Amino acid sequence: SLSCRLYCEEEKDPKRRSCQTVLAEALDIVVRSFAPILPHLAEEVFQHLPYKKDSEGVFRTGWINASSAWKKPGIEEAIEGACAMRDSFLGSISGKNALEYEVVIVIEPGLLFELMEALQAEETSSVSQLNEIMMASQTTLLSELPKETPADANIIKGTFLINLEGGDIREESSYKVIALPIAKAKCPRCRRYTSNSSSTPCPRCLKVIAGKGST
């Protein structure tokens, strides 16, 4: 999903820029962490960072002081919950290509549903953070099982324990995950099954291409 953000989104799209920001922050912390034991390597990496630096050398940057802005309440639990659902999904397709499926996640209204909504505001999306974590071509988030669910659908049930505010908020929520073969064609640009034709890019990629052509 990192590659999809970096190579498929528009150059200045917030999704792409936010991914670059996270990678830059992670590299900065890693380099300063091993600087005391691998000083020459750390300095070489620091000097070749492809963006403007506040200091001339890695040993002039001071020790790690990560911004509190990275600690967003609930985001850790949201990611962990989504990863648990992804494991259920991948387990249900037993080694097959996840992009050939769409995922339906069913969660009763409550805290877990709200956490997943933070990762996907739309009911169905192929570009949301939740869908990136699921590794599917499309993810649908619902509060109840859809009536048109096939009778032979493999419905995977699971539970996730939410632990917030240092344990002050604890809630165990159940969820259902359904993997359905996707009916759309593979996009020749992003390789997701989100196109109406295998010879035509999907709507997201067409928009990005059109934006490049107008700049």
Side-chain angles (χ1 to χ4, degrees):
S1 292
L2 285 179
S3 61
C4 192
R5 280 195 180 200
L6 291 171
Y7 300 115
C8 296
E9 297 292 354
E10 202 169 353
E11 183 178 358
K12 295 183 179 180
D13 188 284
K15 293 189 185 75
R16 184 174 186 272
R17 296 301 299 273
S18 65
C19 181
Q20 291 176 312
T21 299
V22 170
L23 290 174
E25 183 75 8
L27 178 61
D28 178 70
I29 289 176
V30 169
V31 169
R32 286 197 280 165
S33 295
F34 68 63
I37 54 175
L38 294 169
H40 299 294
L41 176 60
E43 186 62 36
E44 183 176 359
V45 172
F46 186 84
Q47 293 301 330
H48 285 84
L49 293 176
Y51 48 83
K52 185 178 180 180
K53 302 173 283 289
D54 294 332
S55 303
E56 295 181 359
V58 68
F59 289 100
R60 294 180 180 272
T61 61
W63 189 236
I64 301 165
N65 184 24
S67 170
S68 59
W70 293 100
K71 187 63 177 177
K72 187 176 180 181
I75 193 65
E76 183 177 351
E77 288 72 19
I79 298 297
E80 288 179 354
C83 287
M85 296 173 201
R86 179 191 62 195
D87 292 344
S88 298
F89 160 57
L90 295 178
S92 71
I93 62 174
S94 55
K96 296 178 181 177
N97 183 3
L99 289 174
E100 295 179 359
Y101 290 84
E102 59 176 312
V103 182
V104 178
I105 299 173
V106 182
I107 309 170
E108 292 184 359
L111 186 53
L112 182 58
F113 188 87
E114 292 174 6
L115 289 174
M116 292 305 106
E117 278 190 316
L119 300 177
Q120 178 170 301
E122 310 89 349
E123 183 176 283
T124 300
S125 178
S126 61
V127 296
S128 67
Q129 289 179 292
L130 179 59
N131 188 66
E132 288 182 354
I133 294 170
M134 298 305 293
M135 300 168 60
S137 278
Q138 180 174 286
T139 297
T140 298
L141 178 62
L142 301 171
S143 58
E144 58 182 18
L145 201 65
K147 295 179 180 179
E148 62 273 16
T149 302
D152 59 346
N154 185 15
I155 302 176
I156 308 299
K157 298 180 180 180
T159 59
F160 181 73
L161 178 62
I162 301 168
N163 192 339
L164 292 171
E165 305 294 339
D168 291 339
I169 301 175
R170 292 173 61 88
E171 181 179 303
E172 186 172 59
S173 301
S174 59
Y175 62 83
K176 298 182 181 73
V177 174
I178 310 167
L180 301 171
I182 199 158
K184 294 185 178 182
K186 181 193 283 188
C187 172
R189 183 174 182 270
C190 69
R191 304 300 181 183
R192 288 182 176 175
Y193 289 76
T194 52
S195 181
N196 294 323
S197 168
S198 59
S199 60
T200 307
C202 65
R204 187 273 300 270
C205 286
L206 284 173
K207 183 178 178 181
V208 173
I209 294 170
K212 287 182 177 179
S214 62
T215 56

